[in-house]
Amino acid sequence: MPFEDKKKNRVTLLDVAARANVSRATASLVIRKSPLVGTETRARVEEAMRELGYVYNMGAARLRAERSHTVGVVVPNLTNPFFAELLSGIESVIDAAGMVVILANSGDLAERQDMVMQRMREHGVDGVIICPAAATEPEFLDRMAEWGLPLVQALRHISDDIDYAGVDYAAGMREAVGHLASLGHRRIAFAVHGPVHSAYLERIEGFRDAMFSRGFDPDLIIRVPDQTAQIPGSAHLLFENREKPTAVVCFNDVIALGLSAGLHDLGLKVGENFSLIGFDDVTEADIIRPRLTSVSTAPVTIGENAARLLLDRLSDPLLPPRRVVKETRLHIRQSCGPIAGPARY
Amino acid sequence: MPFEDKKKNRVTLLDVAARANVSRATASLVIRKSPLVGTETRARVEEAMRELGYVYNMGAARLRAERSHTVGVVVPNLTNPFFAELLSGIESVIDAAGMVVILANSGDLAERQDMVMQRMREHGVDGVIICPAAATEPEFLDRMAEWGLPLVQALRHISDDIDYAGVDYAAGMREAVGHLASLGHRRIAFAVHGPVHSAYLERIEGFRDAMFSRGFDPDLIIRVPDQTAQIPGSAHLLFENREKPTAVVCFNDVIALGLSAGLHDLGLKVGENFSLIGFDDVTEADIIRPRLTSVSTAPVTIGENAARLLLDRLSDPLLPPRRVVKETRLHIRQSCGPIAGPARY
DNA sequence: CTTTCCATTTAGATCGATCTAAAAGCTTTT
DNA sequence: AAAAGCTTTTAGATCGATCTAAATGGAAAG
């Protein structure tokens, strides 16, 4: 029955060392799995750690080693399942690398984002993965870089000089429009909402591109409410234009789900006399009726990519900036059909 | 143009103190907003911090002060929007208290949960909010408590001696059954899935209670698949029993959404000739058709409660164990109707 | 038997804050 | 003028690890 009562009764490396009859330095080497220590010594130290119930004090280590084994993750909003999945991907890779995630929520506000980054710095994170708030100026990220804080942008990108992991939104949009076009649709609307940021602009660009190159009107862009609950009620907006669309591409699946319900309320049959295509391919796409055709963006994978970019940068800070842009995949289900009514051509 | 190039060129409190002509101790007091320092001195030190671009080193502070301003959060799964919302509530309260969240994912596996908690300890978190993995034994949590690590259980509870923030699941279930009963339903099924834990058992208990006390058959409990995509296809399970139900209560909204689709596929009209009621009241409840009647559990609020419990405990570790159990609220929409067909009484 | 070399081990300084207990300046009281 | 009581400031030890540079011991080489 070991007899240890120091005043504060916390087991330190020094206690372990004493018990194993080695110096504190040797014990430290054992923890860090250095190849320098002899096999027999290592075993003795490990035994001592077990016996004493030693807990590594990361805080002390970080102070000396200037390495915290900690990664900051800043997202605009946790309530959105999309970011939650991103976070999940990040967490799994960071965890596997033996580090932990410090989480922060910017609320998509540049001002809060400033505060949050400051806090990250104070906590001494080794690097940060950030989905920049919509109104972030490029100088912001460059300032971080000047701090010497390794940074990775996820989903949205502000600066080209900083690593980025995302999705080829524009190509995804082209794919969506292409699918509708192949079903005979020519008058296609684009339903959007939310703040303006790179991921927003790329989608717009992809949509207009695809429409324009086919000689279709690329300007049928409709803004729907940001509040999920109000989207179904806004379906009528689709038909207030002179040129009534026969199909709609949605900025994301929240809009798609909402409009699908709204169109149903208006008496239209989605997939039969009106076509609708979503973006993100959330789980619900498969369990609503009609099943939602959607462009998959797989945020978990993006998170994994972002985390890997950061880990690479940590091990070599001089790496040139890289971007990992994932391809989308169109998941065809039931919400799109050939153009309805008497054929126009 | 200040001329500072130390070898490592990091601004420390000592540099600030020198610049402001005070001692390191005084500078430290200024940072910590101690009322002891004079107004003029404080201003001078703050000015110096600004000029030098000083960044507080939380790591150093924590080592000495044995306080990390860090809270661990352990959830079984981040992909589930339910836990993401919980996390969001926790984060906002913790952030407002000037602390940060260290995140970990147990994958609902007791073994991983062990590792994760160990890591939390190494990182010196001040406390942990945990939604215990399904197979957690009470000894596990008690061991943590022995470590002297302040703990709060969220959503699920294993030990009665430890703070808990959750929802009155049983009452929510009684409410759901009550609503259906008031519409004339007597043969009501309960569709469940997932691992067994306290939140699961309480729902079962609430259901059986409510059924039994009305003299209805409390045993119509149906297990549906865990995979979201397979739920719609399992709707037929509802009718394989001798006694065919006229309504179903769902364990959560994922099941409700899935069965709603599945029942539609079987040619039933939910809300007209079959009633269905969900649990959780997710955002999608309002944007599917028919709109889903659901029992609201508001996980964000639970997260906030859990965080507040932890903060209280941090400021007074001797507080007796407390439990904050939120009431549910039934959100009536369209998916339930009076019992169909020729009246039975 | 000394010297060289290698593999291990170690003493002591160090990271950047906080804490303790006491000192230094003030007024105010005796 | 000394003592007492404030308020404000400070020196120096301390938290628990890592790092540096040097010491130690044994085997191989001379």
Side-chain angles (χ1 to χ4, degrees):
Chain A
M1 198 166 299
F3 185 75
E4 350 102 13
D5 53 335
K6 327 187 44 172
K7 47 189 136 183
K8 286 291 180 194
N9 139 80
R10 191 193 208 296
V11 181
T12 80
L13 213 40
L14 202 55
D15 302 322
V16 172
R19 154 79 74 142
N21 273 315
V22 296
S23 72
R24 175 161 81 258
T26 305
S28 175
L29 290 175
V30 171
I31 294 184
R32 285 176 285 154
K33 308 198 191 309
S34 157
L36 289 179
V37 295
T39 341
E40 199 270 335
T41 314
R42 149 160 296 127
R44 224 169 56 241
V45 173
E46 278 167 349
E47 170 72 2
M49 297 193 343
R50 201 161 308 115
E51 287 174 356
L52 298 177
Y54 171 73
V55 180
Y56 184 61
N57 185 330
M58 188 71 78
R62 93 173 5 172
L63 178 57
R64 187 68 239 259
E66 319 244 80
R67 189 96 202 289
S68 70
H69 294 272
T70 274
V71 167
V73 175
V74 181
V75 292
N77 176 357
L78 278 167
T79 298
N80 186 331
F82 192 75
F83 294 117
E85 293 198 21
L86 176 82
L87 182 58
S88 175
I90 294 174
E91 199 273 340
S92 69
V93 171
I94 293 298
D95 176 89
M99 309 180 74
V100 298
V101 165
I102 291 190
L103 182 65
N105 190 331
S106 71
D108 224 345
L109 269 35
E111 191 190 351
R112 263 193 62 74
Q113 185 173 254
D114 275 344
M115 296 191 41
V116 149
M117 287 302 293
Q118 179 65 22
R119 187 144 352 167
M120 290 287 170
R121 211 147 78 108
E122 293 180 347
H123 276 274
V125 296
D126 291 336
V128 170
I129 297 173
I130 184 172
C131 176
T136 310
E137 325 96 35
E139 304 89 59
F140 173 75
L141 291 187
D142 294 332
R143 190 168 3 121
M144 307 292 117
E146 272 170 38
W147 286 352
L149 186 61
L151 220 61
V152 171
Q153 308 171 86
L155 295 177
R156 307 174 182 172
H157 53 101
I158 303 291
S159 163
D160 287 342
D161 305 330
I162 295 177
D163 289 336
Y164 166 64
V167 180
D168 193 343
Y169 294 109
M173 272 301 155
R174 286 193 293 267
E175 209 171 359
V177 171
H179 178 59
L180 290 172
S182 76
L183 291 169
H185 296 273
R186 299 185 49 119
R187 291 195 314 286
I188 305 172
F190 185 26
V192 304
H193 73 184
V196 176
H197 44 66
S198 68
Y200 179 95
L201 295 174
E202 285 177 18
R203 275 179 250 203
I204 296 263
E205 179 208 317
F207 173 77
R208 294 182 48 100
D209 234 51
M211 294 296 280
F212 192 80
S213 71
R214 285 180 175 78
F216 302 169
D217 176 6
D219 291 320
L220 225 59
I221 298 182
I222 316 249
R223 264 199 98 79
V224 300
D226 290 346
Q227 275 72 37
T228 309
Q230 294 173 22
I231 298 176
S234 69
H236 64 92
L237 294 176
L238 288 168
F239 306 108
E240 291 189 340
N241 242 288
R242 190 177 38 85
E243 291 275 0
K244 307 212 183 315
T246 61
V248 61
V249 178
C250 301
F251 181 79
N252 60 32
D253 276 354
V254 172
I255 296 181
L257 261 36
L259 288 183
S260 180
L263 290 165
H264 172 266
D265 292 349
L266 292 179
L268 288 166
K269 290 217 174 306
V270 170
E272 294 179 27
N273 49 27
F274 197 86
S275 288
L276 179 146
I277 187 163
F279 205 94
D280 282 347
D281 198 24
V282 299
T283 341
E284 286 82 10
D286 218 14
I287 57 171
I288 64 158
R289 296 296 179 263
R291 292 181 168 89
L292 180 65
T293 293
S294 187
V295 177
S296 151
T297 52
V300 175
T301 312
I302 306 174
E304 292 166 353
N305 290 339
R308 274 191 281 265
L309 277 178
L310 184 59
L311 292 176
D312 287 352
R313 179 150 302 279
L314 289 178
S315 59
D316 179 5
L318 298 171
L319 236 46
R322 296 188 295 166
R323 25 181 54 221
V324 177
V325 177
K326 214 174 69 69
E327 290 309 308
T328 57
R329 208 171 69 74
L330 178 65
H331 207 137
I332 296 175
R333 295 196 184 85
Q334 304 174 323
S335 65
C336 302
I339 187 163
R344 310 265 160 161
Y345 320 84
Chain B
M1 200 166 300
F3 184 74
E4 350 102 12
D5 53 337
K6 327 185 46 169
K7 47 188 133 182
K8 286 292 178 196
N9 137 83
R10 192 193 207 297
V11 182
T12 81
L13 211 44
L14 203 55
D15 302 321
V16 171
R19 153 79 74 144
N21 272 315
V22 297
S23 73
R24 176 162 78 259
T26 305
S28 176
L29 289 175
V30 171
I31 294 184
R32 284 177 286 155
K33 308 198 189 311
S34 158
L36 289 179
V37 295
T39 341
E40 199 269 335
T41 314
R42 151 161 293 128
R44 226 167 56 241
V45 173
E46 279 169 349
E47 170 72 1
M49 297 194 342
R50 202 162 306 114
E51 285 174 356
L52 297 178
Y54 170 73
V55 180
Y56 185 59
N57 187 331
M58 188 71 79
R62 94 176 0 176
L63 177 56
R64 186 68 237 260
E66 318 243 83
R67 189 96 201 287
S68 70
H69 294 273
T70 274
V71 167
V73 175
V74 181
V75 292
N77 175 359
L78 278 167
T79 298
N80 187 331
F82 192 75
F83 295 117
E85 292 198 23
L86 176 81
L87 182 58
S88 175
I90 295 174
E91 199 273 340
S92 69
V93 172
I94 293 298
D95 177 89
M99 309 180 73
V100 298
V101 165
I102 290 188
L103 181 65
N105 190 330
S106 70
D108 224 345
L109 270 35
E111 190 190 353
R112 264 193 63 72
Q113 186 173 254
D114 275 345
M115 297 191 40
V116 149
M117 288 302 292
Q118 179 65 20
R119 195 162 311 179
M120 290 287 172
R121 211 148 77 108
E122 294 181 346
H123 277 273
V125 295
D126 292 335
V128 170
I129 296 171
I130 183 171
C131 176
T136 309
E137 324 96 37
E139 304 89 59
F140 173 75
L141 291 186
D142 293 332
R143 189 167 4 121
M144 307 292 118
E146 271 171 36
W147 287 351
L149 186 61
L151 220 59
V152 172
Q153 309 171 88
L155 295 177
R156 307 174 183 171
H157 54 102
I158 303 290
S159 164
D160 286 343
D161 304 330
I162 295 178
D163 289 336
Y164 166 64
V167 179
D168 193 343
Y169 294 109
M173 272 301 154
R174 287 194 292 267
E175 208 171 1
V177 171
H179 179 57
L180 290 171
S182 77
L183 291 169
H185 297 274
R186 299 185 50 118
R187 293 196 309 288
I188 304 173
F190 185 27
V192 305
H193 73 185
V196 176
H197 44 65
S198 67
Y200 179 96
L201 295 174
E202 284 178 18
R203 275 178 252 203
I204 296 263
E205 179 208 317
F207 173 77
R208 293 182 49 99
D209 234 49
M211 294 295 281
F212 192 80
S213 71
R214 285 181 177 77
F216 302 168
D217 175 7
D219 291 320
L220 224 60
I221 298 181
I222 316 250
R223 262 200 100 78
V224 301
D226 289 347
Q227 276 71 37
T228 309
Q230 293 173 21
I231 298 175
S234 69
H236 65 92
L237 295 175
L238 288 169
F239 306 109
E240 291 189 341
N241 243 290
R242 189 174 41 83
E243 291 275 359
K244 305 211 184 316
T246 62
V248 61
V249 178
C250 300
F251 180 79
N252 59 32
D253 277 354
V254 172
I255 295 181
L257 262 34
L259 288 184
S260 179
L263 290 165
H264 172 267
D265 292 350
L266 291 179
L268 288 166
K269 288 215 175 309
V270 170
E272 294 179 28
N273 49 28
F274 198 85
S275 287
L276 180 147
I277 188 163
F279 205 95
D280 282 348
D281 197 25
V282 299
T283 342
E284 286 81 10
D286 218 13
I287 58 173
I288 64 157
R289 296 298 179 264
R291 291 181 168 89
L292 179 66
T293 292
S294 186
V295 177
S296 152
T297 52
V300 174
T301 312
I302 306 173
E304 291 166 352
N305 289 340
R308 275 191 280 266
L309 277 178
L310 184 59
L311 292 176
D312 287 353
R313 179 148 304 279
L314 289 179
S315 59
D316 180 3
L318 298 171
L319 235 45
R322 296 188 296 166
R323 25 181 55 222
V324 178
V325 177
K326 214 174 68 70
E327 289 310 307
T328 57
R329 208 171 69 74
L330 178 64
H331 205 137
I332 297 175
R333 296 198 184 85
Q334 304 173 324
S335 65
C336 301
I339 188 162
R344 310 261 159 163
Y345 321 82

